Amino acid sequence: MSEATLEDAPTWIVASVCSVIVLISFVFERALHHLGKGLERRRKTLYEALLKLKEELMLLGFVSLLLVVFQELIQKICIDESLMEHWLPCRGAPAATSASATAHHGVSSSAVISGGRRMLKGGGAAFGHCSSKGKVPLLSLHALEQVHIFIFVLAITQVVLSVATVLLGLLQMRIWMHWENTIQEEGSSAPKMIARVQKIRFVQDRCKGYEKATWVIIWLRSFFKQFYGSVSNDDYIAMRLGFVMEHFRGHPKFNFYDYMIKALEKDFKRVVSIKWYYWIFVMIFLLLNVTGWHSYFWISLVPLALLLLIGTKLEHIINKLAYEVASKHAAGQGEGGIVVSPSDELFWFHSPRLVLVLIHFILFQNAFEFAYFFWTLVMFGVNSCIMDSLGYSVSRIIICVVVQVLCSYSTLPLYAIVSHMGSSFKSAVFADDVAEHLRGWADGARRRVRRSATDVDASCLGTPAAGRGWEGAAGWRSLMAGRSRPTQQLRSISF
C-alpha cells in the first residue's frame, strides 16, 4: 500500500497542520525580535551575537531544504550489499534472506549519523529500485529524517551551551565589579597602586619557592591553582595596574572591569557561531563511531584535556608575571619594576587570540557530545547498541558536565582577564561607532601603505642607475618609515 499524498488528504487536516506550523514559527520569530530590541538598547554586543544566531538558523534552514529537495535522489543511489557490513555503529546478525535484508538494511557506512540499522519506512520504492539491480539503497527516508533532526539538535545545543557558559562566567566575575569599585573609591593613582602591589600577596603567594622549584613543580602548581580561586583580588589588582600602566598611563581611573566585560561579550559573538571547519570534525567523529571502538568516550577526553591545559597555561602566565615583578623589585628597578609587563610572548605562538579559538573548539566538541547523547537517547532508547555500554555512556556525560562547569567557573574568567596581558588592547575600549570608524581607517591606511610601496617600487625600477646611490637609499628608508607609521600605531589595538 503506497503512502497517501496531498491529493488524498482532507483539506481541513492540511490547513490545520499548516496553521500550527506557521503559528509556532511566528511566535518564535516575534520572541527573537523582542529579545533583539531589548539587547540592542542595553547590550549591543549581545545583540550582535543574537544576529549571529539568526544566521546559524538561516543556514540550518537551508540545510533542511537541501535534505528535502534531494532526499529522493539520495534514496535512489544504490550500493553493493557487501558494503553495508563495514563500519557499522551496531554489529548485528548478518542478513541471510531478502526479508532480513529489508528489515536491516538502512544504515550504510555514511549513515553512522542515524545511529543504527535504519528501517525502510517510506523508502519502499527506493528499495525496489535498487533490489532490481541486486543492490541496496544508500540511505532511507527515515534515516534522512534522523540526520535532519541531529543537525538541528547539534546547532541548538551549541548555542544553548555557549550562552550558558558565558552567562555563568559573567555571574562568577560579578565579584570583580566590587573589586573595581573599591579601587575607584580608594583612589587608583599610580604611586598608591604600586605601593599596594608591593604589599599584596600577589607576589608573595605566586612566587613562593619559585626560584627553588623545578619547572615540573611550577607547572603542577599552576595546574592545581585553576581549581580553587583561579583569580584572586590580589591578582586582579596587579593585572589591572599592569594593563593601565601599559596602555592608559595617563588615565588611572580607567574602568578595567567594564572594558573586560565588553571585550568578553565581543568574543562571545565569535564563540556562539559554528565555523565551517567544525563541520569537518563532525563528519570525522561520525565516521569513527564504529562498534567496539568506544570512539565517543575517547573523543570526550579531548575537550577535557584541552581545557585543563589552557587553565594551566593561563595560571602559569599569572605566576610568571608575579615572578617578573619580584625579580625587578629585588633588582631595585624602582616603581616601574613593581608593575606587571603585558606581552604577547607569554602566550602560545605569541597569540592571545589562540586561546579563544581553543575555547570555541572545546565548547563545540562538548556540545557535540551532549547533542549526540540526548539525540540517540530519544531516537533509539537507552537500550540501543548505539548508546554504547552504560559505563561508557555515564562516563561521557560526567566528563561533559565537568568540562562545562570548569569552563564556566574557572577557564572563562581566567581567559577574560589574562587575555589582556598581551601587547595590545582590544577595540572594546572604544564605543561601537568609534571602533567601527577606526577599523575602517586602519584598513584604509594599510591599503594606502601597500599602494605607496608598489608605486615607489615601480618608480625605482624606472630610475637610472646613477640615481640609486646612498642618498636615494636613505630617502627610500625615510619614505617607508613615514608610510608605515600609521600601521605601527595600530599594532597596539586588536580589532
Side-chain angles (χ1 to χ4, degrees):
M1 179 180 177
S2 60
E3 290 188 348
T5 64
L6 285 179
E7 295 174 333
D8 307 311
T11 55
W12 68 269
I13 294 181
V14 177
S16 300
V17 172
C18 290
S19 299
V20 171
I21 293 175
V22 170
L23 178 61
I24 294 175
S25 302
F26 181 77
V27 170
F28 182 70
E29 190 276 333
R30 287 290 90 189
L32 286 180
H33 176 75
H34 290 297
L35 178 61
K37 286 293 184 182
L39 292 177
E40 190 176 16
R41 289 193 298 267
R42 300 172 186 174
R43 291 287 187 179
K44 187 66 178 290
T45 51
L46 290 182
Y47 171 69
E48 293 175 355
L50 180 64
L51 295 181
K52 282 283 186 180
L53 171 59
K54 289 184 177 180
E55 292 178 7
E56 293 297 324
L57 293 176
M58 184 175 65
L59 176 61
L60 288 176
F62 183 70
V63 171
S64 301
L65 179 62
L66 288 180
L67 287 174
V68 172
V69 171
F70 292 106
Q71 63 183 12
E72 291 191 8
L73 180 62
I74 294 174
Q75 290 180 78
K76 291 181 179 179
I77 298 176
C78 304
I79 61 174
D80 291 331
E81 187 174 341
S82 59
L83 296 176
M84 306 293 289
E85 300 302 324
H86 303 285
W87 293 71
L88 289 172
C90 291
R91 179 67 63 179
T97 64
S98 175
S100 62
T102 304
H104 291 286
H105 282 132
V107 175
S108 65
S109 58
S110 64
V112 177
I113 304 170
S114 64
R117 295 191 178 271
R118 63 188 169 169
M119 298 185 305
L120 293 177
K121 178 182 177 181
F127 185 77
H129 169 75
C130 293
S131 62
S132 63
K133 301 179 180 180
K135 298 181 178 182
V136 292
L138 178 67
L139 207 60
S140 71
L141 178 61
H142 188 53
L144 282 171
E145 291 172 354
Q146 293 171 341
V147 172
H148 192 172
I149 294 173
F150 174 72
I151 292 175
F152 267 98
V153 170
L154 175 59
I156 297 301
T157 305
Q158 158 70 10
V159 172
V160 170
L161 291 185
S162 297
V163 172
T165 301
V166 173
L167 291 180
L168 291 174
L170 291 174
L171 185 64
Q172 177 73 359
M173 289 184 283
R174 283 185 66 85
I175 190 174
W176 298 1
M177 181 174 60
H178 301 296
W179 298 345
E180 181 70 32
N181 293 336
T182 302
I183 294 173
Q184 299 288 342
E185 291 170 0
E186 292 180 355
S188 56
S189 62
K192 289 182 180 179
M193 292 299 297
I194 290 173
R196 187 172 181 180
V197 170
Q198 286 179 319
K199 298 177 182 179
I200 64 176
R201 295 187 305 173
F202 169 71
V203 176
Q204 301 170 3
D205 292 346
R206 292 279 181 175
C207 296
K208 188 182 298 181
Y210 198 99
E211 295 180 346
K212 299 179 181 179
T214 62
W215 66 272
V216 176
I217 300 299
I218 293 172
W219 279 97
L220 282 176
R221 181 185 298 174
S222 301
F223 174 80
F224 289 107
K225 184 68 173 67
Q226 65 182 308
F227 299 111
Y228 62 95
S230 56
V231 178
S232 65
N233 187 12
D234 299 328
D235 297 338
Y236 181 85
I237 293 173
M239 286 187 282
R240 177 193 181 279
L241 176 62
F243 179 86
V244 172
M245 294 293 287
E246 177 72 17
H247 302 293
F248 301 97
R249 187 179 292 268
H251 187 31
K253 287 282 188 179
F254 176 77
N255 195 316
F256 181 61
Y257 174 80
D258 286 348
Y259 158 75
M260 191 169 47
I261 296 301
K262 188 176 179 181
L264 183 62
E265 290 176 351
K266 284 184 174 292
D267 291 338
F268 169 67
K269 185 176 66 174
R270 298 188 181 100
V271 171
V272 74
S273 61
I274 301 179
K275 303 297 183 182
W276 65 267
Y277 43 83
Y278 286 162
W279 289 106
I280 298 177
F281 286 103
V282 171
M283 302 306 125
I284 294 174
F285 297 156
L286 295 173
L287 179 65
L288 296 177
N289 185 27
V290 180
T291 180
W293 289 14
H294 310 295
S295 304
Y296 288 166
F297 170 76
W298 303 114
I299 290 174
S300 67
L301 297 176
V302 174
L304 178 62
L306 277 176
L307 195 66
L308 294 176
L309 182 62
I310 291 172
T312 303
K313 175 62 176 178
L314 295 177
E315 287 287 354
H316 183 70
I317 289 175
I318 301 178
N319 290 337
K320 193 171 182 179
L321 288 171
Y323 179 71
E324 290 177 355
V325 169
S327 300
K328 292 176 182 178
H329 181 53
Q333 294 188 14
E335 290 185 350
I338 309 301
V339 182
V340 298
S341 301
S343 173
D344 285 347
E345 295 181 359
L346 297 168
F347 297 86
W348 288 315
F349 303 104
H350 300 174
S351 176
R353 183 169 293 185
L354 178 61
V355 180
L356 178 64
V357 174
L358 293 176
I359 291 177
H360 189 184
F361 176 74
I362 289 170
L363 292 177
F364 175 77
Q365 191 167 344
N366 208 47
F368 173 83
E369 289 284 346
F370 270 116
Y372 191 85
F373 176 83
F374 289 110
W375 174 74
T376 51
L377 182 64
V378 173
M379 297 296 295
F380 305 100
V382 69
N383 295 322
S384 172
C385 60
I386 200 171
M387 286 292 292
D388 214 336
S389 61
L390 182 62
Y392 282 106
S393 298
V394 172
S395 300
R396 279 169 49 199
I397 290 301
I398 292 176
I399 291 173
C400 290
V401 172
V402 169
V403 168
Q404 199 66 33
V405 173
L406 184 62
C407 186
S408 301
Y409 286 99
S410 177
T411 310
L412 190 65
L414 271 172
Y415 165 78
I417 189 168
V418 178
S419 63
H420 301 291
M421 294 299 102
S423 303
S424 60
F425 59 88
K426 299 181 180 180
S427 60
V429 71
F430 305 108
D432 292 329
D433 54 342
V434 176
E436 189 64 31
H437 283 89
L438 280 176
R439 190 177 293 108
W441 174 77
D443 293 339
R446 294 188 185 99
R447 286 194 297 270
R448 288 193 296 271
V449 168
R450 287 194 294 268
R451 191 184 309 117
S452 299
T454 304
D455 294 342
V456 172
D457 285 341
S459 63
C460 288
L461 289 174
T463 305
R468 297 182 199 164
W470 173 255
E471 183 178 354
W476 161 260
R477 286 195 295 270
S478 175
L479 174 63
M480 291 310 298
R483 292 293 188 182
S484 63
R485 192 172 296 118
T487 56
Q488 291 174 353
Q489 293 171 351
L490 289 171
R491 287 177 184 171
S492 61
I493 306 176
S494 174
F495 290 102

